[in-house]
Amino acid sequence: MSKTTVAVLFGGRSTEHEVSIMSAMNVISSIPPEKYYVLPIYITRDGRWLLYEGAAENIRGASLEKIGVNCIVSPDLSHGGLLRIVGGKARPVGADVVFPVLHGKNGEDGTVQGLCELAGIPVVGCGALSSAVSMDKAFTNLIAKASGIAHTPYVVAHRNEMGDTAGILRRTRKLGYPCFVKPANAGSSVGVSKAGGKRELIAALEKAFEHDRKAIIEKAVAGRELECAVLGGDEPSASPVGEVISAAEFYDYDAKYHNDESRAIVPADIPEDKAEEIRAAALAVFAAVDGSGMARADFFLEEGTGRVLFNEINTIPGFTAVSLYPALWREAGITREELCDRLIGIALERGRRD
Ligand SMILES: Nc1ncnc2c1ncn2[C@@H]1O[C@H](COP(=O)(O)OP(=O)(O)O)[C@@H](O)[C@H]1O
Ligand SMILES: [Mg+2]
């Protein structure tokens, strides 16, 4: 049987560029070599695509900018998908499937998925629509609400409203303090702040608007942070539930990736009926956004009330050493190799069918 060629995209024009590199190194080393041939493609911060053709394991620790040849995915179906460009000539590489290990904008948001769909290359994970909807927290919340999935109260604000901060303060009064302010489209807590009063709220909005023209302001939830992984095609399954415990006041970028005192507990020490409720909610959110392949859905378990509140869904969850997506499936008895194999299989199957 000939091997399937998997183009793994990583890096990217996103604030989560570094996280993507960490995730991709784990994905690349987990794709079973007896079945697949891996083509790592590094996307630089300024958006150049560099295809690396040597042994995949050699890119670990390599100076990524210096390796690789230019490549593109052509939306023109007659071009043959992924093309390498050498000496001004473009030649098809024959990628059977693309595995985007890109977090955040320009990768997890449907842009790359749409490009691959035009090029006729199956993509691992969610398609263009569900990726876009899941990336934008304002849209995700709307869809979750329409599907009866509980979420903390929130308000959407746009950058051009900053001329009328009194108006924003009026609209957000019902949320009270503290509240959380986040760019609608970002990830890894980049641009997220907790605001304890009016002045902090305006400063937090200014910070969020550095990353996006749209922000969401949410009532703060006091409680535990629980996460559930989803995997599958038409009949997805939900993993055991995990808990993240932040070393900082909230789970900000440093607490996620640089603070050894942040911890993940798998499985979370919660009653079985709550775990079941969270698994059902994760599948409901996945279905609501029309998800496919994979996602990690994040929730709060509210202190006092015991309510499960949806926070966000990540369609390209982290695969770093501290990431929960692979750890939750490991708990369910699925190794990282099996996980990658299944994800690629689901994408190929969907490519044949849709
Ligand atoms: N409404 C909220 N109440 C309490 N904590 C929150 C709230 N929203 C976000 N947080 C904290 O901020 C972190 C990052 O916010 P999140 O919505 O998950 O954005 P990101 O996409 O950047 O991960 C969460 O993991 C949590 O610690
Ligand atoms: Mg999050």
Side-chain angles (χ1 to χ4, degrees):
M1 199 179 77
S2 68
K3 290 188 188 182
T4 299
T5 301
V6 187
V8 174
L9 304 182
F10 67 103
R13 284 197 299 126
S14 150
T15 48
E16 292 171 277
H17 185 96
E18 293 299 331
V19 182
S20 158
I21 295 174
M22 293 191 270
S23 288
M25 294 305 140
N26 287 327
V27 168
I28 288 169
S29 61
S30 304
I31 294 177
E34 61 285 1
K35 226 171 139 181
Y36 301 101
Y37 179 63
V38 176
L39 287 174
I41 297 176
Y42 174 59
I43 304 176
T44 64
R45 286 179 193 280
D46 55 358
R48 284 176 303 130
W49 290 41
L50 299 172
L51 168 68
Y52 180 66
E53 292 178 308
E57 56 272 21
N58 292 347
I59 64 163
R60 195 177 278 276
S63 172
L64 295 169
E65 294 270 350
K66 297 208 180 93
I67 62 173
V69 297
N70 294 96
C71 68
I72 54 168
V73 170
S74 171
D76 182 329
L77 265 186
S78 71
H79 289 169
L82 177 67
L83 312 170
R84 66 198 288 279
I85 304 171
V86 176
K89 289 210 165 62
R91 300 240 183 279
V93 179
D96 298 308
V97 55
V98 164
F99 195 149
V101 189
L102 297 161
H103 305 310
K105 271 188 208 167
N106 305 308
E108 193 176 351
D109 58 356
T111 49
V112 164
Q113 291 73 10
L115 176 62
C116 293
E117 283 162 25
L118 284 175
I121 317 176
V123 194
V124 169
C126 292
L129 176 84
S130 55
S131 301
V133 158
S134 303
M135 183 77 231
D136 186 306
K137 293 183 166 76
F139 275 97
T140 320
N141 287 356
L142 267 182
I143 288 168
K145 192 171 176 185
S147 308
I149 296 156
H151 189 279
T152 191
Y154 70 99
V155 163
V156 176
H158 292 84
R159 195 190 277 145
N160 63 9
E161 290 175 77
M162 286 301 269
D164 174 24
T165 50
I168 297 182
L169 291 173
R170 227 180 0 261
R171 286 205 298 122
T172 53
R173 196 180 300 150
K174 61 181 181 206
L175 304 177
Y177 295 101
C179 60
F180 271 83
V181 180
K182 338 180 186 182
N185 293 274
S188 285
S189 303
V190 175
V192 176
S193 325
K194 185 176 184 178
K198 289 180 189 170
R199 199 173 301 162
E200 280 178 26
L201 170 57
I202 300 303
L205 280 168
E206 274 163 5
K207 187 168 154 197
F209 288 139
E210 286 169 18
H211 300 279
D212 197 353
R213 42 173 280 284
K214 189 162 68 174
I216 70 167
I217 307 152
E218 285 185 0
K219 185 179 165 69
V221 180
R224 296 163 69 179
E225 287 192 60
L226 299 164
E227 307 191 343
C228 181
V230 178
L231 168 68
D234 290 339
E235 287 178 25
S237 356
S239 73
V241 173
E243 176 170 16
V244 290
I245 297 183
S246 171
E249 194 188 354
F250 72 93
Y251 208 33
D252 61 13
Y253 188 89
D254 273 334
K256 278 181 185 169
Y257 303 108
H258 299 309
N259 194 327
D260 292 342
E261 283 165 32
S262 294
R263 286 182 300 140
I265 298 175
V266 178
D269 183 13
I270 53 172
E272 187 44 41
D273 62 327
K274 280 294 156 198
E276 201 39 62
E277 189 182 337
I278 289 167
R279 275 195 287 275
L283 291 173
V285 175
F286 193 71
V289 300
D290 200 16
S292 172
M294 64 175 163
R296 196 194 70 230
D298 298 349
F299 299 88
F300 296 111
L301 180 59
E302 197 176 40
E303 214 173 85
T305 64
R307 280 194 307 166
V308 170
L309 299 172
F310 168 61
N311 178 31
E312 60 152 350
I313 180 165
N314 295 286
T315 53
I316 307 185
F319 274 81
T320 70
V322 296
S323 296
L324 268 188
Y325 190 82
L328 290 170
W329 285 116
R330 188 74 203 85
E331 176 65 20
I334 300 175
T335 63
R336 269 213 312 241
E337 286 70 18
E338 285 170 309
L339 188 54
C340 288
D341 184 34
R342 283 219 211 164
L343 286 167
I344 296 166
I346 295 163
L348 289 170
E349 160 73 26
R350 201 179 55 214
R352 273 191 294 273
R353 207 186 45 195
D354 295 351

